[in-house]
Amino acid sequence: MNSRRLTAPAIAVTMLAVLGGLSARPVASAAELAALAAPFDFVVTPLNSAPPAAHGGRTVAPDLAHLRSWISAVGAAVGLADADGNGRADDICLVDPRDDSVRVAPVRGTGDRFAAVRLNPPGRPDSAVAPMGCVPTDLTGDGVTDFLVYYWGRSPVLFVRQGDGYRGGDLVEPAQHWNSTATVIADVDGDGHLDVLVGNYFPDGARILDPRADDDQRIEMPAGMARAGNAGINRLLLSRPGGPGRPPVFVDASTALPARSARSWTLAFGLQDLTGDLLPEIYVANDFGPDDLLVNRSAPGRPAFERVEGRRDAITPKSKVLGHDSFKGMGVAFTYRDGHLLPTVLVSNITTPWGLQESNFAFAPQGSGDELLQGRVPYRDRSEQLGLSRSGWAWDIKAVDFDGDGADEILQATGYLQGDRWRWPELQELAMANDQVLAHPWAWPDFQPGDDLSGHQHNPLWTYAADFSPPRYVDIAPRLGLDASWVSRGIAIGDIDGDGRPDAVIANQWQDSVVLLNRSRTTWPHTTIRLLRPGSSAGATPAIGAQVRAVTPDGAQLRAELQPSNGHAGSSAPELFFGTGSGADTSFALRWRTSGGVPHSAEIRLSPGTHTLLLDDDGTVRSMDDDEGRRGWSR
């Protein structure tokens, strides 16, 4: 008996040691990190500077004053575009929370091509309204870049180019009181016209930023950490052409969204065709509750979506199953790996040691897209095996091939509140509180200027180490000097300087935002493709939703889909980047919907370099390179 009693603790210690060893992450050596980082190089410069009378927090409703910094933690955003028609994505639409401004301007260092333009919503200025994001778009279809801005305190505004400036008009009339945190633009019903999907956060009508709102019964915090369903209603707005020279008319089709998804605390959307019908499925990344994958069963003018859920097995935690997680989804992106027909779905969550250790997701394909149409989910999370599970308090995430080797790198925004008073113990107490009290602001701890929650993390830059055992992604940001403690929100990707390599801009909260100019040294040639389709007039407009499959001379298959507005607070340029493997021509297979919604496909061979292609309504593909391409690309 005594010997058995003595061995029980030993067995327990042994088991814990074994489990600890199994959960330990592989660590790359200094030599391995140096070799992985060697091809990469980035020049980092400020994108903006502190405006006059900059502030570091928002004025909020009285009931929220004690957690003012929590409420002030979002709002930095950026979009990359060609605003002046020079054929390059070297202009930004930047949201700076330090003065609640939205400005369209050239990226610093690209020339003073036009004076910065501030986009102000129509009507009288309202201090209870703050911009949260800006999406470059061409909703009018005339080939000229316009901008859609979304806010806390009002419904979105479409700014249409007019002369040297922009004319703002309400997306819905009369304007409504929404608190929006994400917006994506795509043709969701397949009729050939771009639609708008708006993710709302705090309840509709809640005067979150109004210091006079001391009697607003609509102000609520999330009704639970894991399954809150009391947010503002997500909106799906279908567009109808408004006639020559007029913006489109929008029809509210929000009832097509499943009820649970529509009332979630949404922070990001990811649109991607997963079933092969050129209709984008919708990944909804939600705070305080499960994310949703919505299968698109729409017909022109008749949107329809079905929520699907993954199945749990004996070795998978519930929160690792798609549609069942209780994490804090704050960003989503797609990357095609190893020639798969389906992309891996990358999702940002909170992963802070000694704070809240959830897990980022990397939902890898385990089957075909046809299974989604049958209600089955062909995805399993492999974030831990791939080295992507842990990073920080994470937000936007983007996947792009920075060095042209045929495999995407992954860049992620991290950080929440930066200060010198560590406040994780109070937040952990809140996370363990009864869900019955969480909706009440008084139940939340104080979060004030100077408090810190994951405020000193760096934005990881993962590259795929195919030769490692096991193969996995490795964060090389510190080796490249990209480990500054930015508190980042949105990321936009585009070729800013016209050298064919993808660059990045990062929108930071209460800090200067930054530009990452790509100077990576590689022997792999890049092929950059800009896809257009005929617009509503003589110009051409980005072919949002078009798909590309490249077969490189060495037989590798690369895939991409043009969905530049995906994610949280970062809208990329409408460009696709491929590392095509040699100097020889590459075969590209293209699929798209015409301006009338008709599916087409075609093949073309391209040499390395930058190409602008017109995907015509008759199913042909026409090169628009050089001067003709610049006119069609932006005008």
Side-chain angles (χ1 to χ4, degrees):
M1 294 291 293
N2 289 339
S3 61
R4 291 180 182 176
R5 289 175 182 170
L6 290 172
T7 57
I11 292 172
V13 169
T14 301
M15 291 180 65
L16 288 173
V18 170
L19 292 173
L22 291 173
S23 64
R25 305 184 75 183
V27 177
S29 68
E32 289 172 326
L33 285 172
L36 285 173
F40 298 93
D41 186 28
F42 294 91
V43 176
V44 182
T45 58
L47 190 63
N48 61 344
S49 54
H55 54 84
R58 302 194 187 282
T59 302
V60 299
D63 286 349
L64 303 172
H66 66 289
L67 62 154
R68 180 167 74 98
S69 289
W70 182 285
I71 303 298
S72 302
V74 292
V78 66
L80 263 177
D82 177 10
D84 64 349
N86 69 346
R88 291 183 182 178
D90 51 5
D91 305 313
I92 53 166
C93 183
L94 182 69
V95 181
D96 190 338
R98 294 177 295 186
D99 62 352
D100 286 328
S101 63
V102 184
R103 289 185 176 89
V104 177
V107 174
R108 282 189 177 183
T110 63
D112 298 327
R113 292 170 281 108
F114 61 93
V117 180
R118 183 160 178 166
L119 305 181
N120 296 315
R124 292 180 299 176
D126 188 345
S127 60
V129 173
M132 292 288 143
C134 181
V135 182
T137 183
D138 182 17
L139 285 170
T140 60
D142 61 359
V144 178
T145 301
D146 307 315
F147 297 93
L148 182 65
V149 181
Y150 53 98
Y151 305 84
W152 277 7
R154 70 166 355 263
S155 47
V157 175
L158 176 61
F159 292 89
V160 176
R161 182 69 175 267
Q162 191 173 63
D164 293 332
Y166 296 87
R167 174 172 50 85
D170 287 302
L171 204 66
V172 295
E173 295 183 352
Q176 301 178 27
H177 192 124
W178 299 349
N179 296 294
S180 308
T181 51
T183 294
V184 287
I185 297 174
D187 178 10
V188 301
D189 64 342
D191 67 351
H193 305 298
L194 294 178
D195 309 305
V196 179
L197 183 60
V198 181
N200 289 322
Y201 199 71
F202 284 101
D204 296 346
R207 292 145 57 201
I208 301 300
L209 305 179
D210 190 347
R212 301 159 298 179
D214 55 1
D215 58 348
D216 189 346
Q217 300 301 310
R218 291 165 295 194
I219 293 179
E220 289 185 330
M221 300 299 284
M225 280 285 173
R227 220 166 255 281
N230 61 328
I233 301 172
N234 292 342
R235 297 309 209 286
L236 173 61
L237 304 173
L238 300 183
S239 69
R240 299 289 180 268
R246 296 173 58 86
V249 176
F250 290 93
V251 177
D252 193 332
S254 305
T255 55
L257 301 173
R260 188 186 91 170
S261 184
R263 291 302 303 271
S264 298
W265 293 73
T266 299
L267 285 173
F269 291 114
L271 275 62
Q272 200 85 351
D273 175 19
L274 305 178
T275 62
D277 58 3
L278 287 172
L279 294 174
E281 273 60 54
I282 303 174
Y283 190 98
V284 188
N286 294 319
D287 208 352
F288 300 103
D291 294 349
D292 289 313
L293 179 59
L294 308 182
V295 176
N296 194 337
R297 297 182 178 275
S298 302
R302 299 194 304 275
F305 300 91
E306 176 188 359
R307 183 172 60 83
V308 294
E309 299 178 349
R311 292 185 178 182
R312 183 184 182 188
D313 57 31
I315 61 172
T316 304
K318 179 180 178 182
S319 278
K320 287 279 199 171
V321 179
L322 197 153
H324 288 278
D325 69 282
S326 58
F327 294 162
K328 314 297 180 293
M330 291 178 282
V332 58
F334 301 89
T335 181
Y336 290 85
R337 300 183 57 254
D338 303 326
H340 287 154
L341 293 174
L342 287 178
T344 294
V345 186
L346 306 170
V347 183
S348 294
N349 290 300
I350 301 176
T351 66
T352 295
W354 312 109
L356 191 58
Q357 188 62 275
E358 297 177 341
S359 173
N360 296 319
F361 293 139
F363 289 117
Q366 307 290 313
S368 71
D370 292 340
E371 296 179 58
L372 288 168
L373 297 173
Q374 301 166 20
R376 300 193 301 270
V377 175
Y379 278 102
R380 180 185 296 272
D381 176 59
R382 295 190 66 245
S383 57
E384 185 66 26
Q385 297 93 319
L386 290 171
L388 298 171
S389 61
R390 310 174 213 179
S391 55
W393 192 312
W395 296 86
D396 209 4
I397 184 168
K398 294 291 190 287
V400 67
D401 185 359
F402 279 119
D403 66 341
D405 67 349
D408 283 346
E409 279 67 51
I410 300 168
L411 180 62
Q412 189 180 47
T414 64
Y416 193 66
L417 301 179
Q418 189 173 98
D420 54 13
R421 295 190 296 267
W422 192 54
R423 299 305 302 274
W424 266 110
E426 290 87 342
L427 184 57
Q428 287 169 327
E429 287 182 355
L430 177 73
M432 294 185 290
N434 192 311
D435 278 358
Q436 298 298 316
V437 303
L438 257 71
H440 301 286
W442 53 259
W444 286 61
D446 291 357
F447 293 108
Q448 295 293 322
D451 292 342
D452 190 277
L453 285 171
S454 302
H456 295 84
Q457 300 170 336
H458 76 269
N459 296 338
L461 173 62
W462 285 292
T463 189
Y464 191 62
D467 296 333
F468 278 28
S469 181
R472 62 190 184 274
Y473 288 90
V474 176
D475 178 16
I476 57 172
R479 295 287 309 190
L480 300 172
L482 301 179
D483 53 352
S485 295
W486 298 322
V487 177
S488 303
R489 293 296 175 264
I491 300 171
I493 303 295
D495 181 9
I496 294 172
D497 51 8
D499 65 358
R501 293 176 289 194
D503 308 300
V505 292
I506 301 175
N508 293 327
Q509 189 78 11
W510 311 118
Q511 300 170 322
D512 291 349
S513 297
V514 294
V515 184
L516 275 60
L517 288 177
N518 187 357
R519 298 290 183 262
S520 297
R521 300 173 296 276
T522 177
T523 59
W524 301 89
H526 292 75
T527 302
T528 302
I529 299 180
R530 300 162 175 169
L531 298 174
L532 309 176
R533 70 179 193 188
S536 59
S537 58
T541 188
I544 304 301
Q547 301 170 4
V548 180
R549 176 175 61 89
V551 181
T552 67
D554 59 3
Q557 295 195 33
L558 311 175
R559 299 177 187 272
E561 183 171 321
L562 189 62
Q563 298 287 0
S565 60
N566 277 350
H568 169 83
S571 189
S572 296
E575 304 171 324
L576 298 177
F577 300 91
F578 298 90
T580 43
S582 78
D585 289 357
T586 296
S587 174
F588 290 88
L590 312 172
R591 299 179 69 225
W592 73 96
R593 284 184 183 268
T594 69
S595 56
V598 178
H600 275 299
S601 62
E603 293 190 9
I604 189 171
R605 294 188 67 82
L606 298 172
S607 60
T610 298
H611 300 275
T612 302
L613 304 177
L614 179 69
L615 309 181
D616 220 331
D617 284 350
D618 62 3
T620 60
V621 179
R622 181 160 57 92
S623 174
M624 300 182 69
D625 292 340
D626 302 323
D627 290 341
E628 182 183 7
R630 284 194 286 273
R631 288 196 298 270
W633 162 241
S634 59
R635 293 297 182 192

